[in-house]
Amino acid sequence: MAGREADTRWPDGEPRLPRPQTGELSADSVYFFMWPGWRDELESNRWHWSKRWARRLPVVLIQPELAAGEAVCAIPEPRLENVDLLSIEQRSVTAQDWLVTGLRQAGQIAGHMRARGHQCPLFWFYNPHFVVPYALLPSRGRVFHATENYFDFPDLKDDFPDGLAFLNCYRYAIESSDLAICCSSGIADSLARNTRRTEFLTLPNGCDFLKYSKPAATRGDWPARFADWQQTDRRVAVFAGGINNRLDFALIETLVARHSELGFVFAGPVELEPLSAAQLSWERVQRALNVCVLGRIPTEDLPALYWCCDVGFIPYRTDLPMIVENGFPLKALEMAAAGLPVVATLMKPLREVAGAVTVARDAEAFCGALSNQSRRIRSTAERKVAEQICRAYDYDLLFERMANALATQIGDHQCRPADLAALVERIGLDCYNEGIGRLGQIHCVFGSSPVRSRARTSILYRIGALLGKNFPRVRQRGQCRSGDLIGDA
């Protein structure tokens, strides 16, 4: 009996679904090249993937958050077993420093690898500002995980000062990876249009089905905040997530005003500019008698919250292509796994899970759908369809699909840098030459003391060619200028 029980749980104690055979991956660690802010973000897609990798290999979440010259800091992630948080230097302030900063970052990451004895790492990539260490450090395999489509973000061509193109770093990372994973079909379509890559693995955001699918006991004081609604049998609609500029506050005001019979519960941190139109609208919403704002609650309480409610709603803006074309928020299937009917604004990828989520084409349709949706009146057939979808999108199964695809893709590759000539092509010869000219300033920080290590760096990261000459493929392009490469897909 004890053995049978162990077989139904992961090493971290969570229940597991039956899974297919995983492809073999001869790596000894996984390094996540992340955006800063991990400690404060909600339980995200990155959380689910790092947790599952950590069941198999040591995971390192790289946080670019230190000023130049600060000592590297590595500490265990207290919420996830077998996961380290590695704090290294933040991105360069000016484009002229991009290569120097990238080499220092590479040195800091390699120092952690040496200290931990990691000789065959797998790289998992999110942040295009990390493109230099991502390319230069040898790796068993590289995975680009596209949770956002930056080609649809406004004004990103100005993200790097002095003309260094953020989007070209983005392109290079996508094109140089062994596997590119997209969180929605919309992201995959856009990346195919805007890069030279043609093959993508679409793995939408999923859910921990077994975590959300059973009623959970409530705890803390938040249930008392809307207990009177439940006692009077009032239907309760719930939104859990960041209260930020992705929300359609005009729609929210309309819903709250039109559906006075509904109680609206909001759970999540507020991230709005003071005195902005969105902030002022949010303040009006909070004053409504049928609105309860819980603030941020522990993520482990979300299943209990959903089981206290009748319908989930996701009122995102429909004037932003980055949302309409690419959006597939985690909360959609998490709510559905908890037995909630879910109503969402137009996000085209959500149409693929129509049995679990109702996608409203406009505000009027959203109001209509919300008025007659409730777990209390949902048919058995509707519940079964939603459950089948949520089971199919369970993160354990998505992880196995990824692992099999990655094992096939990297085959018997040895640890190696990426294609450095392609990096120079993408960022532009001017930026490359400018960066080479500044290499005399390089300092890498190991432990608590800075070590001057230019020669050591060129050997350690196998980048003698990068430091010493222009690549033949780049020279063949003639006098390339960085401006010629901006926007070149």
Side-chain angles (χ1 to χ4, degrees), residues 20-315:
Q21 184 67 36
T22 305
E24 290 298 320
L25 297 171
S26 55
D28 61 11
S29 55
V30 186
Y31 281 74
F32 278 56
F33 290 73
M34 302 177 71
W35 293 96
W38 163 265
R39 293 170 181 83
D40 297 322
E41 75 177 26
L42 300 174
E43 197 169 284
S44 62
N45 186 293
R46 292 165 290 282
W47 171 281
H48 290 287
W49 287 97
S50 60
K51 181 174 75 171
R52 282 156 179 82
W53 269 120
R55 291 166 174 165
R56 294 157 172 82
L57 295 169
V59 169
V60 181
L61 307 180
I62 306 171
Q63 287 289 283
E65 56 192 6
L66 303 180
E70 284 191 73
V72 173
C73 176
I75 61 172
E77 161 55 68
R79 300 164 297 175
L80 291 172
E81 187 177 352
N82 206 26
V83 176
D84 269 0
L85 290 176
L86 176 61
S87 298
I88 69 168
E89 183 175 338
Q90 59 192 314
R91 73 179 177 93
S92 59
V93 176
T94 64
Q96 288 85 352
D97 292 328
W98 73 274
L99 183 55
V100 173
T101 300
L103 286 174
R104 286 198 296 261
Q105 291 173 328
Q108 292 169 334
I109 296 166
H112 183 274
M113 290 177 182
R114 286 200 305 275
R116 296 294 192 271
H118 298 159
Q119 299 181 353
C120 194
L122 177 72
F123 290 166
W124 193 273
F125 195 80
Y126 294 101
N127 182 352
H129 291 130
F130 270 135
V131 71
V132 173
Y134 185 64
L136 302 187
L137 287 166
S139 172
R140 175 77 171 88
R142 291 170 173 79
V143 178
F144 188 94
H145 197 187
T147 58
E148 301 279 6
N149 171 23
Y150 295 118
F151 294 115
D152 280 347
F153 277 47
D155 303 323
L156 268 184
K157 289 184 179 179
D158 299 325
D159 186 80
F160 274 95
D162 302 324
L164 182 59
F166 174 91
L167 290 179
N168 275 344
C169 291
Y170 186 45
R171 288 185 174 97
Y172 171 77
I174 294 166
E175 294 163 353
S176 65
S177 295
D178 298 290
L179 182 67
I181 301 172
C182 298
C183 281
S184 75
S185 55
I187 293 177
D189 290 343
S190 179
L191 268 53
R193 290 195 304 270
N194 287 282
T195 71
R196 298 165 184 157
R197 191 180 190 98
T198 58
E199 294 184 359
F200 298 90
L201 176 63
T202 301
L203 295 177
N205 290 330
C207 64
D208 277 334
F209 177 75
L210 294 179
K211 174 181 176 179
Y212 284 91
S213 60
K214 296 179 180 179
T218 60
R219 61 182 191 173
D221 60 0
W222 60 262
R225 302 277 298 279
F226 60 96
D228 57 329
W229 292 349
Q230 295 175 308
Q231 292 166 3
T232 59
D233 211 30
R234 188 177 207 170
R235 274 195 311 132
V236 179
V238 61
F239 171 86
I243 312 296
N244 54 40
N245 285 319
R246 295 193 176 202
L247 292 184
D248 185 341
F249 289 98
L251 173 60
I252 293 172
E253 285 196 87
T254 299
L255 296 174
V256 168
R258 282 200 193 180
H259 294 286
S260 57
E261 79 286 358
L262 270 175
F264 290 87
V265 171
F266 293 86
V270 177
E271 302 156 339
L272 297 170
E273 291 293 328
L275 301 181
S276 65
Q279 173 66 34
L280 296 174
S281 179
W282 175 239
E283 289 179 357
R284 291 193 296 271
V285 166
Q286 293 181 81
R287 290 195 292 268
L289 296 178
N290 60 333
V291 168
C292 176
V293 178
L294 301 179
R296 185 169 187 159
I297 68 172
T299 53
E300 55 267 28
D301 286 0
L302 285 178
L305 172 63
Y306 294 155
W307 278 93
C308 286
C309 300
D310 298 280
V311 60
F313 71 110
I314 308 175

Side-chain angles (χ1 to χ4, degrees), residues 42-45 48 147-148 183-185 187 203-208 212 239-242 244 246-247 306 312-317 322-337 342-351 353 356-359 366 390 393 395 398:
L42 300 174
E43 197 169 284
S44 62
N45 186 293
H48 290 287
T147 58
E148 301 279 6
C183 281
S184 75
S185 55
I187 293 177
L203 295 177
N205 290 330
C207 64
D208 277 334
Y212 284 91
F239 171 86
N244 54 40
R246 295 193 176 202
L247 292 184
Y306 294 155
F313 71 110
I314 308 175
Y316 280 178
R317 291 169 58 179
M322 56 181 264
I323 294 177
V324 172
E325 299 296 330
N326 311 307
F328 198 118
L330 275 73
K331 61 181 66 65
L333 293 184
E334 290 172 348
M335 290 175 174
V342 181
V343 182
T345 47
L346 178 60
M347 286 171 270
K348 293 179 181 178
L350 285 182
R351 290 173 170 169
V353 290
V357 180
T358 298
V359 179
F366 198 109
C390 293
Y393 281 76
Y395 268 112
L398 296 179

